[in-house]
Amino acid sequence: MSETGDTSSTQRGVWGVELQDREARDVVSDVALCVVEVEGPVEREVIYTRVHSITNAEA
């Protein structure tokens, strides 16, 4: 799923932005959508955990 974040960041022109920054909102949405598509149906906490793990992986 980190590839999804990387691809989305590049396509949206926000490469190098931290995922917790407001400018990365669409990238986070793409990652969350990927989680739901791959693992769904899932609880919100699973989505939060996956997005958080991507955020930490890029730090």
Side-chain angles (χ1 to χ4, degrees):
M1 282 183 229
S2 65
E3 287 179 27
T4 300
D6 291 344
T7 300
S8 181
S9 295
T10 301
Q11 289 174 344
R12 296 177 186 284
V14 292
W15 186 253
V17 160
E18 299 292 327
L19 290 182
Q20 62 267 26
D21 292 345
R22 183 178 178 95
E23 296 82 20
R25 181 175 34 191
D26 291 334
V27 175
V28 173
S29 296
D30 290 343
V31 172
L33 180 60
C34 181
V35 170
V36 173
E37 289 174 345
V38 171
E39 300 185 34
V42 293
E43 297 288 328
R44 287 184 202 164
E45 289 300 318
V46 173
I47 298 169
Y48 300 153
T49 300
R50 299 296 185 266
V51 170
H52 181 73
S53 70
I54 298 300
T55 303
N56 285 341
E58 292 186 359

